[in-house]
Amino acid sequence: MEQPRPTPAPWPAGTGEMAERIRDYDWASTPLGPIEAWPQSLKTTVDLLLSGAFPMVALWGPQLIQVYNDGYRDLKGAEHPQGLGQAACECRPEVWHIDEPIYCRVRAGETLIFENGFHPVTRSGRFEDAWFTLTYSPVRNETGTVSGVLVTLIEKTNRVLAERALRESEHRYRALFNSMDEAYAVVEVMRDAAKGWNDFLFLEVNPAFMKHTGMPYPVGRTATQILGTPNPRWAEMYGRVVETGEPVRFEETEAILGRVFDLNVFRLGGAESRRVAVLFTNITERNRSEAALRDSEERLRLIVENAHDYAIFITDPQDRVTDWFPGAEAVFGWSAEEILGRSGELIFTPEDREAGEPE
């Protein structure tokens, strides 16, 4: 007795939306003809795209009839579901003049890849910018002739946006870097044979660096190559920051340059990094001015304290005595303890005060 033949499983397999739509679609109304009569090459291509992890669409036959998976469906927006079984030229006629030359090349046997192409999409009812890497591959039939084009899309939106944000960040950094009044340098600290910090290589400097130091452009050279015998404290301090990771601020003189610098130094990178960033200003003139002021004040103090024939004292805006020097004590007779904080009117006689002389 002849056994009944098993009923073939419905094709294509799968429970996704597009697998069901492909099974239920009236393919007989399209140039592809009934699904049962499709060539094995087309069926294999459909099985491939339905199981694919990326958005994929097969364009088959002279009219490039569309068959696509769930991932591609999510990108089609308003073009789905009518895009299934539709000719490529009818689906997006506004860009057919761009797409047609591509399809012609692929149908001639070429594989084309377009990196980070801009393709806006509608997702969840919202129009948004998106970028994809698109691969156009020829698909051959049983006779070896190219009968279709398989398009695979790998989304790069997050990567493109991240790279754009990085470029914008670098642009802002570079604008700040170049416009800073303070000098800035990135250096790599170097050890000698005894593992001591003895030199450093300039990796990056801003325009203000040359202004503050008076040095030539140093990038790619070491401090020793530029200065000969630089202050060893530089490498020691930078090396300490490398070892501890703790930022430091200090003032230091470079005798070869004849300048004094106020520096902030901090490590760049993790514990293995030998790079430090140095933010600093030239404070040579400020130090000279402060030293000159201290000298001037010291000379004035010596003059005032040793002038016994002249009464010298100082009052505040409220006419209270704030400084009472030996000459004032010798002329008027009051000690500093007796007069400090009291009104300067005391130096006038009662008659003068009554007559308004202090005012």
Side-chain angles (χ1 to χ4, degrees):
M1 182 177 180
E2 185 178 351
Q3 296 293 325
R5 294 182 180 180
T7 303
W11 184 89
T15 58
E17 176 190 336
M18 293 313 301
E20 293 181 8
R21 284 187 177 275
I22 293 170
R23 281 195 297 267
D24 298 338
Y25 193 82
D26 180 17
W27 293 103
S29 64
T30 74
L32 296 186
I35 195 170
E36 297 82 7
W38 283 7
Q40 185 58 47
S41 53
L42 175 54
K43 289 184 176 182
T44 301
T45 301
V46 172
D47 283 334
L48 172 66
L49 66 86
L50 286 176
S51 61
F54 301 109
M56 302 173 75
V57 55
L59 308 170
W60 200 265
Q63 295 83 12
L64 297 174
I65 302 301
Q66 298 184 136
V67 187
Y68 48 85
N69 64 5
D70 293 288
Y72 193 82
R73 169 210 62 197
D74 294 340
L75 303 179
K76 289 188 72 64
E79 296 171 8
H80 175 75
Q82 64 269 24
L84 184 65
Q86 189 177 37
C89 62
E90 297 173 359
C91 181
R92 301 185 66 190
E94 71 278 6
V95 295
W96 180 243
H97 65 288
I98 299 174
D99 291 341
E100 184 182 23
I102 295 174
Y103 297 143
C104 287
R105 291 175 62 184
V106 177
R107 295 179 71 181
E110 286 189 65
T111 296
L112 303 178
I113 300 176
F114 298 92
E115 294 282 352
N116 301 335
F118 177 59
H119 295 275
V121 298
T122 300
R123 284 189 275 218
S124 302
R126 187 178 66 180
F127 186 78
E128 60 183 68
D129 292 343
W131 288 261
F132 297 87
T133 290
L134 290 90
T135 301
Y136 296 80
S137 304
V139 182
R140 300 182 183 275
N141 61 23
E142 287 72 8
T143 66
T145 304
V146 175
S147 288
V149 177
L150 181 63
V151 185
T152 303
L153 295 87
I154 302 175
E155 185 160 8
K156 297 296 183 70
T157 302
N158 290 338
R159 176 178 174 180
V160 169
L161 293 177
E163 290 176 348
R164 176 182 295 179
L166 178 60
R167 287 194 299 271
E168 292 175 353
S169 175
E170 290 176 342
H171 177 74
R172 290 192 296 270
Y173 162 77
R174 187 59 55 184
L176 174 62
F177 184 77
N178 290 332
S179 64
M180 288 170 54
D181 291 330
E182 296 84 357
Y184 180 80
V186 176
V187 303
E188 182 169 327
V189 197
M190 306 167 67
R191 291 185 185 273
D192 57 20
K195 301 299 183 180
W197 302 106
N198 71 323
D199 206 351
F200 50 94
L201 175 68
F202 288 97
L203 302 177
E204 187 176 13
V205 300
N206 69 343
F209 177 92
M210 280 69 74
K211 172 185 173 183
H212 283 274
T213 64
M215 292 168 56
Y217 185 69
V219 170
R221 303 170 67 192
T222 67
T224 300
Q225 288 172 332
I226 298 172
L227 300 177
T229 54
N231 182 344
R233 281 263 297 165
W234 300 121
E236 292 171 5
M237 293 299 293
Y238 297 164
R240 186 185 307 172
V241 173
V242 165
E243 290 175 343
T244 66
E246 296 293 328
V248 297
R249 180 169 185 174
F250 63 101
E251 292 183 10
E252 192 63 51
T253 300
E254 178 49 72
I256 295 175
L257 298 175
R259 303 190 183 199
V260 184
F261 302 101
D262 179 16
L263 306 100
N264 282 286
V265 185
F266 49 95
R267 187 173 70 191
L268 295 178
E272 300 302 317
S273 173
R274 292 189 178 185
R275 296 185 176 186
V276 298
V278 187
L279 183 66
F280 65 97
T281 55
N282 175 11
I283 59 171
T284 308
E285 291 303 319
R286 188 190 78 184
N287 281 14
R288 288 173 181 168
S289 298
E290 291 174 351
L293 179 59
R294 287 193 298 271
D295 291 344
S296 177
E297 290 174 342
E298 178 64 13
R299 288 194 297 271
L300 177 60
R301 184 188 66 80
L302 293 173
I303 291 171
V304 169
E305 290 182 353
N306 290 282
H308 296 285
D309 296 330
Y310 297 90
I312 302 174
F313 63 96
I314 300 173
T315 63
D316 64 15
Q318 288 72 42
D319 199 33
R320 293 186 295 263
V321 177
T322 59
D323 294 272
W324 190 257
F325 297 103
E329 183 174 343
V331 172
F332 292 107
W334 288 299
S335 67
E337 290 78 9
E338 293 173 313
I339 193 69
L340 289 178
R342 301 179 67 181
S343 173
E345 292 184 358
L346 287 175
I347 68 170
F348 294 87
T349 65
E351 293 79 14
D352 287 342
R353 290 197 296 272
E354 186 67 27
E357 288 296 330
E359 287 77 8

